[in-house]
Amino acid sequence: MTDMAAFIEGLPKAELHLHIEGSLEPELLFAIAARNGVELPYASVDELRAAYAFGNLQDFLEIYYRGLSVLRAARDFYDLTWAYLERARAEAVLHAEIFFDPQAHTSRGVAFSTVIAGITSALEDGRAKLGIGSKLILCFLRDRSAESALATLEEALPHKDRIVAVGLDSAERGHPPSKFEAVFARARAEGFLTVAHAGEEGPPAYVAEALDLLRVARIDHGIRALEDRALTARLARDAVPLTVCPLSNLKLRVVDDMAAHPLKVMLDAGLHVTVNSDDPAYFGGYVNANYRAVQAALGLGRDDLARLARNSFEAAFLDGGEKRALIAQLDAYLAER
Ligand code: HPA
Ligand code: ZN
């Protein structure tokens, strides 16, 4: 292991962009399919993994939705979430803010309460047994209707104390933030914070809409914002956190190769970027693999890596005291390395 890889391995960090269904590893997918009596169109774990080749976001989403369809019982959601938390623990993730896609489950006949019960009991165990803090973010599938999103929000209300924010994911192009303006207004009135995937495959205008119309506290991805200088200046001035996912960008061909990834440009432009894993079972690595990939390809130094970790705590949906306690752990690590 290089010195930088060792530094990254122990670097205290938060993960703020992680789709829990995207952490479903092929081995667990096969095990859950077997116990639920689900037939898979793949003969082996290796055959399934070999199918993970994507030309773009849409190609990925088809495989992702097929994969998550093995999840049926609360225990499945528990096992999925627990497996992620164990990985996170091993990678010095002190705090994780986790997306879930309820419509991808309720539309298959799995109850909202089943999904939330499995995920939240694993998060409670993660806190008690692994010392990992966490928050849950409900994502609406933007390629479905605003009515479907609103119905999902209604289903979430009895579980409001377990969900910190709502977000937007799935196919971005042709599904602008404006489509969900009323749903997000209702969510804010109910006390939810808001985030949105924007500027991943979609244009910079979607990033501006997410800020202006959805009043988001963070932008997920946001890398195409760089195409608009005024927008970039606004994001820097207003210190809007961006949850960037380098291996995802590479695998979905949002960037051609890692050396061309704009993360360093974004840091140098004063943007509040963080590094995250998105769908680690599909994109070739968890959060530390993302840090390592950008470190190596962009020549990031210790100060850049420490800045990314500090940004991750500052951008978390935690109160000031909670953030200070986590940042103190980061500072202690930096002082002894
Ligand atoms: N982008 C958009 N939607 C998603 C993703 C992603 O990377 N992962 C799961 N849903
Ligand atoms: Zn994402």
Side-chain angles (χ1 to χ4, degrees):
M1 198 187 294
T2 65
D3 285 355
M4 278 300 190
F7 177 72
I8 288 166
E9 186 174 59
L11 183 69
K13 58 186 76 69
E15 172 142 71
L16 305 177
H17 185 152
L18 178 279
H19 301 266
I20 197 64
E21 297 91 345
S23 72
L24 179 55
E25 292 287 343
E27 291 77 8
L28 185 58
L29 192 160
F30 260 76
I32 293 175
R35 78 190 183 205
N36 288 342
V38 178
E39 290 248 13
L40 294 174
Y42 307 99
S44 68
V45 165
D46 287 341
E47 209 179 280
L48 174 59
R49 215 182 278 278
Y52 292 178
F54 323 111
N56 56 37
L57 178 57
Q58 193 58 44
D59 289 353
F60 158 69
L61 288 169
E62 278 161 31
I63 291 172
Y64 167 87
Y65 291 123
R66 196 181 310 145
L68 64 74
S69 71
V70 302
L71 303 166
R72 307 223 161 142
R75 178 183 166 202
D76 305 337
F77 291 92
Y78 180 97
D79 290 351
L80 169 69
T81 307
W82 182 254
Y84 167 70
L85 291 168
E86 286 193 311
R87 291 299 293 255
R89 166 81 236 188
E91 301 206 354
V93 173
L94 306 185
H95 177 76
E97 301 192 350
I98 295 174
F99 296 128
F100 74 119
D101 283 339
Q103 288 156 293
H105 310 300
T106 55
S107 64
R108 300 182 290 112
V110 179
F112 191 103
S113 58
T114 299
V115 178
I116 206 101
I119 295 174
T120 59
S121 69
L123 295 181
E124 281 160 23
D125 283 354
R127 193 176 299 272
K129 297 180 187 165
L130 303 175
I132 301 189
S134 55
K135 300 281 181 188
L136 202 48
I137 302 174
L138 184 168
C139 276
F140 301 117
L141 302 184
R142 69 200 306 155
D143 44 358
R144 301 203 187 177
S145 67
E147 292 71 27
S148 173
L150 188 59
T152 303
L153 178 62
E154 302 279 357
E155 282 187 283
L157 293 180
H159 311 282
K160 202 158 105 168
D161 56 331
R162 306 190 135 169
I163 300 169
V164 71
V166 299
L168 274 190
D169 68 2
S170 202
E172 185 181 5
R173 284 201 185 109
H175 302 286
S178 55
K179 179 175 165 186
F180 298 94
E181 189 174 358
V183 180
F184 272 59
R186 175 79 200 287
R188 291 196 311 278
E190 294 287 351
F192 294 102
L193 295 169
T194 61
V195 297
H197 283 54
E200 178 187 19
E201 284 196 345
Y206 285 15
V207 175
E209 271 192 17
L211 295 169
D212 293 333
L213 304 182
L214 306 185
R215 311 240 165 243
V216 296
R218 297 194 297 244
I219 295 284
D220 297 313
H221 294 294
I223 67 173
R224 287 196 59 199
L226 286 179
E227 295 168 23
D228 180 331
R229 286 180 66 163
L231 176 63
T232 303
R234 174 186 182 186
L235 291 168
R237 186 192 64 223
D238 295 345
V240 179
L242 304 173
T243 63
V244 176
C245 307
L247 287 171
S248 166
N249 296 151
L250 185 67
K251 288 287 155 85
L252 300 183
R253 307 214 204 141
V254 172
V255 297
D256 293 334
D257 76 285
M258 202 53 98
H261 196 284
L263 185 87
K264 175 69 172 155
V265 173
M266 296 170 91
L267 268 175
D268 292 345
L271 294 175
H272 288 241
V273 288
T274 63
V275 166
N276 308 275
S277 68
D278 210 3
D279 300 284
Y282 294 92
F283 298 150
Y286 286 75
V287 66
N288 286 352
N290 279 272
Y291 272 79
R292 287 194 303 271
V294 282
Q295 190 283 319
L298 306 175
L300 300 188
R302 232 183 100 101
D303 289 351
D304 294 317
L305 298 169
R307 164 54 55 198
L308 291 167
R310 193 174 303 276
N311 286 351
S312 73
F313 294 125
E314 285 174 351
F317 292 148
L318 295 170
D319 67 31
E322 292 168 323
K323 289 185 198 183
R324 276 192 296 280
L326 294 171
I327 290 169
Q329 292 193 59
L330 170 63
D331 285 333
Y333 180 80
L334 297 173
E336 74 189 26
R337 299 279 301 199

